[in-house]
Amino acid sequence: MTRSRWRNRVLAVLVATILLPTTAMATEEVQSYRDPDDSRGNLDVLRVTSKRVVTASGVAFRTTLYMEDAWDDEDLDVEFFFTELGARWSRCGDDCSGSYYGYMYYDEQERRLRATGFESNNCGCPDLEWRIGRSGSRSVWFDIPEPFLYDGTYAYEIDLETYSVKQEEPLAAPVCLSNCRDQVEHLRFSIDR
């Protein structure tokens, strides 16, 4: 290898090393909202975050729910309403608005977590399924793929409602009797494309 080629490769590696942290930092900016400890169930939401991530299938906006207590996959029961703000030029017809109803749950037949939904004004778009996963014993996330968003979307707003079967407080009452539903409303996350 000539000295000139070697110098060019070293320069390319240096430039990539300098630029890579800047790109990674841009995709890891986290927007976060806190919710009070206001439910006795094991799905009491304490914090909701959103960040832009790069996945094997492309860029997505990851929404993560952090609960106060640990819970099993089989306990997951979350409804959410998700609205694209500024959405225009629908891919499914003029009646579509970018407003969705979704549900995160444990599918007993497939033995896995699922996040499914549909456009709430019934405008002819097919039902949807979002990627979902866990990053710990107290959290769950789902991804909204960037290409999925309508043109003009500058933010999304999400309302969440969890339903707990198990009660963590007091420990003597393992079954939820009251106050085991948690609502988190009007969280707005900006979208930086």
Side-chain angles (χ1 to χ4, degrees), residues 16-98:
T17 304
I18 291 167
L19 292 178
L20 185 60
T22 305
T23 306
M25 286 183 349
T27 62
E28 293 182 11
E29 180 181 331
V30 177
Q31 301 173 68
S32 182
Y33 289 96
R34 296 210 174 273
D35 188 58
D37 177 4
D38 55 357
S39 170
R40 292 183 179 172
N42 61 346
L43 295 179
D44 180 21
V45 177
L46 293 185
R47 188 166 57 111
V48 180
T49 65
S50 175
K51 71 178 179 177
R52 189 172 183 264
V53 296
V54 178
T55 70
S57 48
V59 175
F61 296 96
R62 179 164 291 171
T63 304
T64 306
L65 285 64
Y66 297 90
M67 282 45 152
E68 179 181 13
D69 300 302
W71 47 275
D72 297 325
D73 286 358
E74 294 83 1
D75 297 337
L76 187 64
D77 188 357
V78 180
E79 289 183 41
F80 63 92
F81 301 92
F82 155 44
T83 303
E84 295 180 44
L85 304 177
R88 62 181 192 276
W89 311 119
S90 156
R91 67 186 165 279
C92 297
D94 293 338
D95 294 337
C96 294
S97 62

Side-chain angles (χ1 to χ4, degrees), residues 156-173:
Y156 67 94
E157 186 173 271
I158 191 164
D159 296 335
L160 303 155
E161 192 161 0
T162 67
Y163 301 92
S164 296
V165 175
K166 294 181 182 172
Q167 183 169 323
E168 298 296 330
E169 300 165 11
L171 294 175

Side-chain angles (χ1 to χ4, degrees), residues 1-14:
M1 181 183 306
T2 67
R3 185 179 203 96
S4 175
R5 276 185 157 175
W6 183 81
R7 202 174 320 152
N8 287 344
R9 285 188 181 180
V10 169
L11 182 61
V13 168
L14 282 173

